């Protein structure tokens, strides 16, 4: 009986041309490098950049492999930290494109196997499919900003490639798959789960060929490789004291809390608006936007054409297509089950392996269509020359060249990553903070931006930043109190009651300047003690007067207008979706505050700003109706806090 470890079961197919393989790497890498942004970014990017700079533990699940790799990238003497990390992501995109080309070339060549005269077209058709799979907005958006998804996508596609590599023996495929799957788990374990079908395929193939002997020989190496792949998780307790760690892992319980991402479990599945069907449509919309309709249809057609072939010579190619389809199905179904926020590129980041798998399947369609058109009988039995040209354009050229409009669309969509709106917003926040103040940040993104400015840029070391949403996280309160023990009463209130008590805040405000971010979580209790001061409001130690509120509102609106002008200095920053969302949120909270305080003209002014961005928002329309009603004085704004107006509208 031959040794199953000795050699692959069949000779490898012809190697693809070097020029096409090089372009599959070079074009995505070059576009990723050109599109890399130097801004701290929106969403989780500032927090991740801070972790890269200080080799810290990120938000759950900790992403230790990404932290280790990005910590090396930030040593490059090229621009700010986010730019250096984005360069690493661009390199990951190029490597992903090269690995995808391996699949696409095998599928294209197999589809043209019966037409030797067309073999020369396998490389360009495969290159087009590979480029489409990585240059659409879902993968490309992960290569222009500070995020973990470009590396996660690379590891997922590398697992796919290793599990089906014709140059490796079944034993080597299994070992490589275990290692890559474990490395993926050390980077982003949910995305690694979606690529598990490829690893299971490789392990199953090894056991099918070698039986119990293969299991006996492979079990220990697989376990060792799995442990090696997960070894980066040792970084979590090792960096428990790092200032850049947002989670402090000091116990086994802390490690379990972090790795299982318990903090976010309420925000998945039933915690996300929409049914599974609605989320599935959103996921498919992202995939279609990334691959273009041509690419998505080509993926379905490619799977159909390849799988329906029953000849023995096409068995390996058929297995390649099935492996791609399984990973695509797992990624799409898992993301839809988890919940999907359509406007969030982070949600699209989960789809990178699935999108690449779908894009690769398109090579089977365009190649098979070319062979069918070329081998069709001449007219009148077959299509005329003009009809053949139309068919080639629609079924071959369009899917193969779809990467160009997809890349252009992705470039436009990622323009905010190359802007500096987050820096402008952060500078506006700091400008209203007096020396030796305490700042309470309630929105996670605000906390991330201010933390990045403090730790990476070294701004405002005199200020005590309290990131309110993260105080319950392991070690967060200990780290805060180690820097500022005078905040002990505030911390105890937050942990005991879910929010600081009013008397605790007013006592703190009497001892030092206190600035707070107005938010639905704190507005009602703070309204009597707040003076508007721009992005961050001033919390006083005693109740304020309406006259004082109106007097400070003049400078407050001037600061808002100055922020809008600063955002408008760079083309595109002011119109970026996240910028508009930020301005909407600030104007909404201002309107609620002024209305609750009884400053109705100022509330209407803030409301006009908010309605200019979101004219159909139920909360804004309801508050506007309340302000238009006859009367003076404060308005009960509780119905118009986020969710309140919508609930009232449904009841009516």
């Amino acid at each position: 009986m031959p040794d199953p470890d000795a050699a692959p079961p069949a000779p490898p197919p012809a190697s693809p041309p070097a020029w096409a393989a090089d372009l599959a790497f070079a074009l995505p890498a070059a576009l990723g490098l050109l599109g890399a942004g130097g801004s701290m970014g929106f969403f989780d990017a500032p927090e991740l950049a801070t972790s890269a700079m200080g080799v810290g533990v990120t938000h759950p699940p900790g992403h230790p492999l990404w932290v280790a790799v990005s910590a090396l990238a930030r040593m490059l003497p090229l621009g700010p930290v986010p730019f250096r990390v984005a360069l690493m992501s661009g390199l990951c995109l190029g490597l992903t494109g090269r690995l995808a080309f391996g699949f696409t070339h095998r599928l294209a060549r197999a589809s043209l196997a019966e037409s030797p005269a067309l073999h020369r077209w396998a490389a360009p058709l495969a290159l087009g499919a590979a480029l489409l799979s990585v240059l659409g907005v879902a993968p490309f958006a992960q290569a222009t900003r500070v995020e973990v998804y470009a590396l996660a996508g690379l590891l997922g596609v590398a697992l796919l490639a290793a599990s089906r590599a014709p140059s490796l023996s079944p034993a080597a495929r299994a070992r490589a798959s275990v290692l890559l799957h474990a490395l993926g788990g050390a980077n982003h374990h949910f995305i690694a789960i979606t690529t598990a079908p490829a690893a299971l395929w490789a392990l199953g193939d090894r056991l099918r060929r070698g039986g119990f002997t293969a299991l006996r020989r492979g079990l220990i190496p697989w376990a060792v490789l799995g442990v090696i792949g997960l070894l980066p998780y040792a970084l979590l307790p090792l960096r428990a004291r790092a200032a850049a760690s947002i989670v402090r892992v000091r116990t086994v319980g802390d490690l379990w809390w972090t790795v299982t991402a318990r903090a976010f479990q309420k925000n998945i599945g039933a915690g996300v608006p929409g049914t599974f069907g609605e989320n599935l449509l959103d996921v498919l919309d992202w995939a279609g936007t990334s691959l273009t309709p041509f690419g998505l249809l080509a993926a379905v057609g490619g799977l159909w054409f390849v799988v329906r072939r029953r000849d023995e010579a096409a068995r390996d190619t058929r297995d390649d297509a099935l492996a791609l389809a399984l990973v695509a199905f797992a990624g799409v179904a898992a993301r839809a089950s988890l919940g999907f926020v359509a406007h969030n590129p982070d949600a699209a980041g989960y789809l990178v392996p699935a999108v690449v798998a779908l894009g690769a399947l398109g090579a089977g369609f365009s190649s098979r269509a070319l062979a069918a058109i070329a081998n069709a009988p001449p007219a009148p039995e077959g299509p005329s020359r003009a009809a053949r040209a139309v068919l080639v354009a629609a079924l071959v050229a369009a899917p193969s060249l779809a990467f160009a409009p997809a890349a252009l669309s992705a470039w436009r969509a990622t323009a905010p990553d190359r802007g500096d709106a987050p820096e402008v917003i952060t500078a506006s926040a700091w400008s209203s903070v007096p020396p030796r103040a305490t700042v309470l940040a309630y929105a996670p993104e605000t906390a991330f931006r201010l933390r990045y400015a403090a730790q990476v840029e070294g701004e405002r070391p005199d200020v005590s930043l309290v990131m309110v949403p993260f105080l319950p996280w392991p070690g967060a309160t200990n780290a805060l109190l180690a820097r500022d023990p005078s905040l002990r009463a505030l911390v105890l209130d937050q942990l005991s009651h879910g929010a600081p008590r009013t008397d605790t805040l007013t006592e703190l405000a009497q001892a030092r300047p206190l600035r707070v971010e107005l938010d639905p979580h704190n507005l009602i209790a703070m309204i009597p003690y707040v003076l508007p001061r721009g992005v961050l409001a001033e919390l006083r130690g005693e109740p304020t007067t309406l006259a004082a509120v109106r007097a400070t509102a003049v400078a407050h609106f001037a600061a808002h207008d100055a922020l809008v002008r600063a955002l408008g200095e760079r083309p595109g920053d002011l119109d970026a979706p996240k910028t508009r969302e930020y301005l909407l949120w600030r104007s909404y909270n201002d309107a609620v505050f002024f209305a609750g305080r009884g400053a109705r003209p100022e509330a209407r002014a803030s409301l006009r700003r908010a309605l200019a961005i979101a004219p159909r928002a139920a909360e804004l329309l309801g508050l506007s109706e309340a302000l238009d009603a006859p009367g003076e004085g404060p308005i009960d704004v509780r119905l118009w806090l986020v969710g309140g107006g919508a609930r009232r509208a449904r009841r009516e």
Side-chain angles (χ1 to χ4, degrees), residues 4 6-16 98-99 101-107 109 158-174 176 202 205 209 315-317 319-320:
S15 298
R98 175 60 185 88
L99 291 171
F101 178 72
F103 284 112
T104 58
H105 187 261
R106 288 204 299 274
L107 289 174
R109 189 170 180 85
L159 169 58
L160 258 172
S163 68
R164 296 296 307 153
S167 59
L168 298 178
S169 69
R173 292 179 194 171
D205 183 61
R209 295 173 184 271
R315 186 184 64 181
D316 287 342
T317 307
D319 288 350
D320 284 347

Side-chain angles (χ1 to χ4, degrees), residues 14-113:
S15 298
W19 66 267
D22 291 342
L23 282 176
F25 165 78
L27 284 178
L31 287 175
L33 298 181
L34 290 173
S39 167
M40 71 171 79
F42 289 106
F43 296 102
D44 299 332
E47 184 250 333
L48 292 169
T50 303
S51 297
M53 182 64 184
V55 196
V57 179
T58 71
H59 62 272
H63 309 110
L65 180 63
W66 182 89
V67 169
V69 175
S70 61
L72 294 175
R74 57 96 175 167
M75 294 181 183
L76 294 171
L78 299 169
V81 171
F83 177 74
R84 304 175 202 179
V85 178
L87 292 181
M88 179 267 291
S89 295
L91 179 62
C92 288
L93 186 71
L95 294 172
T96 303
R98 175 60 185 88
L99 291 171
F101 178 72
F103 284 112
T104 58
H105 187 261
R106 288 204 299 274
L107 289 174
R109 189 170 180 85
S111 299
L112 297 173

Side-chain angles (χ1 to χ4, degrees), residues 112 115 117-118 121 367-378 383 388 392 396:
L112 297 173
S115 306
L118 300 176
W121 292 104
S367 303
R368 196 64 183 168
L370 177 62
I373 296 169
N375 295 329
R388 289 175 193 266
V392 168
V396 182

Side-chain angles (χ1 to χ4, degrees), residues 108-173:
R109 189 170 180 85
S111 299
L112 297 173
E114 299 172 356
S115 306
L118 300 176
H119 283 184
R120 67 183 184 278
W121 292 104
L125 294 177
L127 178 61
L131 292 177
L132 177 61
S133 71
V134 296
L135 291 182
V137 64
F140 187 74
Q142 317 311 324
T144 60
R145 62 196 185 113
V146 180
E147 256 302 347
V148 304
Y149 301 111
L151 179 58
L154 171 61
L155 292 169
V157 176
L159 169 58
L160 258 172
S163 68
R164 296 296 307 153
S167 59
L168 298 178
S169 69
R173 292 179 194 171

